[in-house]
């Protein structure tokens, strides 16, 4: 079977029919929900800021409001901002080995926001600029160590979470930014939490998407057979590259090949590692995204750096490190966006974060998976930035 072959099992018309049916079932069942959430959703501090939206039917459930059957709400603006080009770019040497690429777009005098890409190893793309109002925001993108345009490419030496946190501070100082908003999804949410907990005084707001805290249960779900229950066809391509006697730990087995002395061995493992994630990143298969696994340059950095971080458990001292340190950032205006059917970063992690941090605004997109480019996720991310923007404007009055 080719890397793209699995998606032909489900026709586009079947995909649409399944999505319409799922949306209908969800909306039709709203009247069965209780008129107030049970005590487990509430905390001693306040009613939790939980919102669920279905973008096929535009139905919303909010824990902060009394629910009415089939309640319709005003549509959230789903439009990304227009494509823009950077007004400045550069490279910053952050260590004896690493140099990172950075760029700025939007309003040079605007409110600074830093975009943290996923992976780790994914790099930035021009479309990442479109989540932000370019008239209000000074938009900073950078490629983390070894990713994108940063050099050396796919390098694992001196490449840890805490090196990236340090790089962010060096970049902030280099650009003469006193403080900034932090925006990150998937691995970017991990780094956003780690950075904000290390430097809370430098953070004006946080937007998180597809929560990933690099805990064992999260890694086991995606790399040791959990998500395979939903995508057995895609999983077989990933699984069958590893001999049966090494399948007790796929992360370790792939590490061996991604760090081989033979470059072709690295490429073969990197393509399969990357394709497994790309196949599962959308609620419905996205061929353009899946094809990224065939790009040897992209997939080598993506797979090698991801695997390196996962083997080392994110370089955190314990499994619950990010949850244990929420008190350091509890006061920061934060919005969490999570796709209900996220296969890469399942909703259990966002839910655990929500329970530890009920003050944060938690928005569930009922008909979305993992990718920031899915319509419902993108709409909520734009809305989150708009909400923080308006909050900042109101404070300035």
């Amino acid at each position: 079977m080719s890397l793209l072959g699995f998606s032909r099992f489900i026709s586009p018309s079947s995909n649409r029919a399944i999505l319409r049916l799922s949306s209908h079932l969800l909306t039709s069942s709203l009247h069965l929900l209780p008129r107030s959430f049970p005590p487990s959703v509430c905390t001693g501090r306040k009613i939790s800021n939980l919102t669920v939206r279905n973008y096929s039917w535009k139905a919303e459930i909010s824990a902060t409001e009394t629910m009415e059957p089939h309640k319709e709400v005003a549509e959230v603006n789903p439009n990304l901002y227009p494509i823009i080009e950077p007004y400045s770019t550069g490279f910053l040497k952050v260590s004896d080995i690493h140099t990172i690429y950075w760029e700025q777009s939007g309003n040079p005098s605007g409110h600074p926001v830093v975009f943290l890409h996923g992976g780790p190893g994914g790099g930035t793309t021009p479309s990442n600029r479109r989540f932000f109002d370019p008239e209000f925001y000074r938009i900073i993108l950078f490629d983390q160590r070894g990713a994108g345009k940063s050099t050396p490419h796919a390098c694992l030496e001196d490449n840890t979470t805490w090196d990236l946190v340090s790089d962010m501070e060096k970049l902030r100082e280099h650009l003469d930014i006193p403080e900034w908003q932090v925006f990150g999804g998937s691995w970017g949410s991990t780094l956003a939490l780690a950075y904000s907990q290390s430097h809370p005084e430098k953070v004006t707001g946080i937007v998180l998407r597809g929560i990933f805290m690099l805990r064992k249960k999260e890694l086991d779900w995606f790399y040791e057979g959990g998500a395979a229950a939903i995508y057995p066809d895609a999983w077989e391509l990933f699984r069958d590259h590893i001999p049966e006697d090494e399948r007790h730990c796929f992360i370790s087995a792939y590490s061996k090949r991604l760090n081989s002395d033979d470059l072709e061995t690295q490429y073969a493992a990197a393509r399969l590692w990357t394709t497994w994630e790309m196949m599962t990143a959308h609620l419905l298969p996205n061929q353009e995204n899946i094809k990224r696994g065939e790009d040897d340059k992209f997939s080598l950095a993506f797979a090698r750096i991801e695997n390196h971080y996962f083997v080392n458990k994110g370089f955190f001292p314990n499994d619950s490190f990010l949850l244990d340190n929420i008190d350091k950032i509890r006061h920061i205006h934060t919005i969490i966006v999570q796709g209900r059917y996220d296969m890469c970063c399942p909703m259990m992690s966002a839910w655990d974060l929500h329970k530890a941090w009920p003050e944060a605004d938690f928005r569930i997109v009922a008909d979305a998976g993992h990718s920031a480019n899915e319509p419902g996720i993108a709409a909520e991310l734009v809305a989150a930035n708009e909400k923080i923007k308006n909050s900042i404007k109101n404070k300035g009055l």
Side-chain angles (χ1 to χ4, degrees), residues 77-383:
N77 179 12
N79 298 321
L80 294 167
Y81 281 95
I83 296 170
I84 56 173
E85 294 300 319
Y87 63 79
S88 70
T89 64
F91 289 88
L92 177 64
K93 190 170 181 60
V94 290
S95 77
D96 292 340
I97 299 172
H98 291 276
T99 299
I100 61 171
Y101 166 80
W102 59 266
E103 64 173 54
Q104 298 187 91
S105 57
N107 182 352
S109 301
H111 185 77
V113 59
V114 60
F115 177 96
L116 306 180
H117 66 69
T124 58
T125 64
S127 63
N128 299 150
R129 307 167 194 145
R130 300 185 64 194
F131 296 110
F132 312 95
D133 179 352
E135 294 185 3
F136 177 81
Y137 280 110
R138 175 184 175 185
I139 307 160
I140 297 98
L141 274 60
F142 75 99
D143 290 332
Q144 297 158 28
R145 294 189 182 201
K149 297 177 184 178
S150 294
T151 60
H153 184 70
C155 178
L156 307 183
E157 188 175 353
D158 292 346
N159 195 338
T160 74
T161 302
W162 306 113
D163 289 319
L164 302 186
V165 167
S166 175
D167 293 350
M168 290 178 65
E169 274 299 274
K170 290 174 183 175
L171 179 60
R172 184 186 62 77
E173 293 171 356
H174 176 73
L175 298 176
D176 195 25
I177 295 172
E179 55 185 12
W180 51 10
Q181 180 181 323
V182 178
F183 179 108
S186 194
W187 157 256
S189 75
T190 321
L191 183 56
L193 290 169
Y195 173 82
S196 299
Q197 290 174 4
S198 298
H199 302 282
E201 74 285 357
K202 305 301 182 185
V203 179
T204 59
I206 306 172
V207 175
L208 304 173
R209 187 266 311 168
I211 301 303
F212 181 46
M213 293 182 284
L214 238 152
R215 297 173 297 171
K216 183 180 185 300
K217 69 178 183 179
E218 298 170 39
L219 296 174
D220 286 350
W221 160 260
F222 195 64
Y223 292 106
E224 304 300 338
I230 312 299
Y231 285 94
D233 41 4
W235 173 254
E236 284 188 4
L237 300 172
F238 178 83
R239 180 198 67 193
D240 290 353
H241 189 64
I242 304 301
E244 289 189 11
D245 62 353
E246 294 184 59
R247 293 180 186 175
H248 58 281
C249 182
F250 284 94
I251 291 176
S252 295
Y254 268 90
S255 177
K256 177 180 175 182
R257 289 154 180 81
L258 290 168
N259 291 282
S260 169
D261 293 334
D262 179 59
L263 187 58
E264 286 306 314
T265 299
Q266 290 187 33
Y267 280 140
R271 285 192 290 268
L272 289 163
W273 176 282
T274 303
T275 300
W276 162 239
E277 184 161 338
M278 299 302 143
M279 281 180 164
T280 56
H282 289 73
L283 180 61
L284 301 178
N286 181 292
Q287 297 298 332
E288 183 178 351
N289 199 53
I290 293 170
K291 286 180 181 178
R292 299 188 80 190
E294 300 175 357
D295 181 337
D296 282 343
K297 182 176 181 181
F298 171 79
S299 64
L300 188 66
F302 186 80
R304 273 174 55 85
I305 298 173
E306 269 200 346
N307 181 271
H308 167 67
Y309 274 68
F310 299 167
V311 165
N312 289 284
K313 300 177 176 60
F315 304 93
F316 295 124
N318 58 67
D319 203 47
S320 60
F321 179 80
L322 295 175
L323 287 175
D324 293 343
N325 285 279
I326 289 299
D327 279 346
K328 295 179 179 179
I329 55 175
R330 193 176 297 281
H331 63 286
I332 298 174
H333 188 180
T334 300
I335 301 171
I336 301 165
V337 176
Q338 179 70 35
R340 167 72 74 180
Y341 300 107
D342 190 330
M343 291 293 113
C344 304
C345 299
M347 199 180 116
M348 63 180 176
S349 298
W351 188 254
D352 289 345
L353 182 61
H354 163 63
K355 296 304 287 289
W357 196 4
E359 297 85 355
D361 186 349
F362 182 31
R363 297 179 173 266
I364 301 168
V365 183
D367 51 354
H370 179 69
S371 174
N373 297 317
E374 294 189 60
I377 300 287
E380 287 291 353
L381 292 174
V382 171

